[in-house]
Amino acid sequence: MSVIRLRVKLGFSCITPYLNAMTETRLNDRAIIRLSASDESEDVREFLQGLVTQDIAAVSEGAPQWSALLAAQGKVLFDFFLWADGNDILIDCESEQAEGLIRRLKLYRLRRKVGIARDESVGVHWALAADARPVDPRLGALGHRWLDGADAGGAADAYRKHRLSLGVTEGAAELGSDKTLWLECNAAELHGVSFSKGCYVGQENTARMNYRQKVNRRMVVVPIAQADEKRQRMAYPAWGWSVEHRRVEDLSGLDLPEWLEKAIQGEPTA
């Protein structure tokens, strides 16, 4: 066992004080990918900085950041949260997408001495009210998110229902893979992209769209009664929601959350 892995096994909860046992809050459809340096000369943050949409400098203990890995054209391949754990970076992603994300990251690794693997000892947790925990970086009303042990839990449905009620989309089923431009996923409004960090995969098209203020389509969550099946990505009839990819001019008259209404009208959202 390497020195790095031994440190994690023995002192993980001490290094990050937001890790405490609340197993009833476990999001068991999420996985953790750990990126760690296998050589003291390697820098995990530098490796990720040229790949993901978020400025890695913003990722600190207890302050996760929403981010994505894009295709060269600026379309989202994977969306995820980035967490700091000492010199390691943890990626909080969909369980079903974890292996694909690992393979993609390894393609970019080349000869860099960066370990990229699932960490089964850590789980993702969520609660609407948990004052001592990090607030979701996208939208405060989404509640609190933190990392803890990987015990069984069952908060995934409650989290998804609450998220949809706020008009926030995420994951491959809703956003698609290589189907949707990142800014069309409301990434600017939900703090999932840095426009000052410099180059990353897909940055050129993303920066151009932002500079021209040219977001022609949006991912939206609308009441099922207002659904357009031709634009629909996912339907949640039990909860009364439809996730759709619509042209901005077709959003008039829809029941949308206030933060998205402001974005469409060009008003600041935060």
Side-chain angles (χ1 to χ4, degrees):
M1 180 179 288
S2 71
V3 173
I4 291 176
R5 299 302 298 169
L6 183 61
R7 174 182 64 80
V8 171
K9 292 295 184 183
L10 295 181
F12 190 75
S13 61
C14 297
I15 296 168
T16 47
Y18 49 84
L19 307 183
N20 288 307
M22 290 183 68
T23 57
E24 72 278 5
T25 58
R26 171 87 188 280
L27 299 179
N28 45 20
D29 57 353
R30 305 291 294 184
I32 292 295
I33 300 172
R34 179 177 293 276
L35 280 76
S36 56
S38 54
D39 185 278
E40 62 181 12
S41 65
E42 189 57 82
D43 188 334
V44 172
R45 288 175 176 264
E46 183 184 48
F47 167 65
L48 282 175
Q49 184 75 333
L51 297 179
V52 303
T53 62
Q54 188 58 260
D55 188 351
I56 299 298
V59 182
S60 60
E61 302 285 348
Q65 301 295 325
W66 190 47
S67 189
L69 183 62
L70 309 181
Q73 296 76 23
K75 293 182 179 180
V76 59
L77 298 175
F78 305 92
D79 73 301
F80 42 77
F81 294 84
L82 298 168
W83 297 79
D85 179 30
N87 293 325
D88 293 356
I89 294 291
L90 308 185
I91 297 179
D92 157 7
C93 66
E94 293 180 281
S95 292
E96 292 183 354
Q97 300 299 314
E99 295 305 321
L101 178 53
I102 289 172
R103 287 194 296 271
R104 175 68 62 158
L105 290 171
K106 285 182 176 180
L107 286 176
Y108 291 114
R109 181 176 58 179
L110 301 176
R111 296 185 179 181
R112 300 197 67 154
K113 297 176 181 180
V114 176
I116 306 172
R118 289 182 70 147
D119 188 337
E120 303 287 357
S121 70
V122 185
V124 181
H125 295 257
W126 169 84
L128 186 55
D131 292 342
R133 313 301 184 184
V135 175
D136 192 301
R138 296 168 296 179
L139 198 65
L142 282 166
H144 299 257
R145 192 181 193 98
W146 69 97
L147 305 182
D148 197 356
D151 299 329
D157 280 349
Y159 164 71
R160 186 178 297 110
K161 183 178 181 180
H162 180 65
R163 172 175 62 79
L164 292 168
S165 75
L166 294 173
V168 177
T169 57
E170 67 175 38
E174 295 174 9
L175 306 182
S177 179
D178 203 11
K179 291 183 178 180
T180 316
L181 292 166
W182 187 224
L183 295 191
E184 295 178 348
C185 302
N186 307 305
E189 293 75 23
L190 296 174
H191 316 295
V193 58
S194 169
F195 296 110
S196 60
K197 62 168 284 185
C199 294
Y200 55 88
V201 180
Q203 182 264 345
E204 184 176 357
N205 202 22
T206 304
R208 185 185 303 114
M209 286 180 66
N210 180 63
Y211 176 75
R212 296 179 178 176
Q213 295 293 292
K214 199 74 172 176
V215 181
N216 295 323
R217 295 176 176 82
R218 294 276 184 174
M219 291 300 306
V220 295
V221 182
V222 300
I224 204 81
Q226 298 178 335
D228 181 347
E229 292 185 2
K230 293 181 180 179
R231 305 287 180 258
Q232 192 176 77
R233 289 283 177 83
M234 280 291 292
Y236 299 93
W239 299 331
W241 297 114
S242 176
V243 176
E244 302 181 7
H245 188 217
R246 291 207 188 192
R247 288 185 174 275
V248 170
E249 57 264 31
D250 295 333
L251 299 180
S252 178
L254 294 179
D255 185 7
L256 300 175
E258 183 179 5
W259 67 266
L260 185 53
E261 290 276 13
K262 287 183 177 180
I264 294 168
Q265 296 167 11
E267 300 177 22
T269 57

